Amino acid sequence: MAALKHDGYDFSVGIPADTPIAQAERVVSAGKGIGSKENMKLIEDLAQAAGAAIGSSRPVAETLHYVPLNRYVGMSGQKFTGNLYIACGISGAKQHLKGIKDASTIVAINTNGNAPIFKNCDYGIIGDVHEILPLLADALGRGEKKEAPPMVKMKRPVVPKPEPIGPRYVCNGCGYEYIPELGDEDGDIAPGTLFENLPDDWVCPECAEEKDHFVKA
């Protein structure tokens, strides 16, 4: 957590745990990987130490009912656009990642080192949440927090864009842009694959439109 403090996060201040997700500067979110409902106490303790609101993945709210439905984060749920998002036991399904794409900093904690969340986070901890969360809460400080000032949005580091290697194509269905330098990781398309070399059965990763429904950008 020294890295987060170095990034400018002040853990002497905080927001109420029930702050609406869309208005929260920081969120500690629970996934199915936390186990039984009793382990929500670990989430609550870390949220208090981090000065954060409490969120969850969709299954934790919709299926397990650990938190109200208005606290799950994802494409069909709440969108988190604040600064710090700590994902605890969340694998990182595409639906969930859509809800945190505008987060400034993402911290992931999961026992599975191959979980998709680790490809989309700034800091990753491979380990058991039951062991890691109490340590993090201790490191951040479990004492009372001062009221946080109005949020100042932190900027994510700018990732250099790869040099173009060929034309880009845009989906007529949803506007998704295929970038050959990036490929389509979820569709097992390697970076550097030109559009004309995509398999005939490849479809838009956003809306499943067929390849022939794309036009050159």
Side-chain angles (χ1 to χ4, degrees), residues 102-181:
D102 294 321
S104 299
T105 306
I106 298 172
V107 178
I109 305 156
N110 202 294
T111 55
N112 180 7
N114 293 318
I117 191 75
F118 285 121
K119 296 180 180 178
N120 296 272
C121 70
D122 300 280
Y123 301 105
I125 302 173
I126 300 174
D128 191 328
V129 293
H130 307 96
E131 299 173 2
I132 301 297
L133 299 197
L135 295 176
L136 292 184
D138 288 340
L140 297 179
R142 295 176 181 264
E144 288 298 315
K145 307 293 178 179
K146 296 178 291 186
E147 183 177 347
M151 183 181 80
V152 176
K153 179 67 173 174
M154 295 180 173
K155 293 183 179 180
R156 292 183 68 88
V158 177
V159 178
K161 294 183 178 180
E163 288 295 321
I165 60 171
R168 300 181 177 189
Y169 283 75
V170 177
C171 175
N172 272 332
C174 68
Y176 164 83
E177 186 177 42
Y178 177 76
I179 303 172
E181 304 88 71

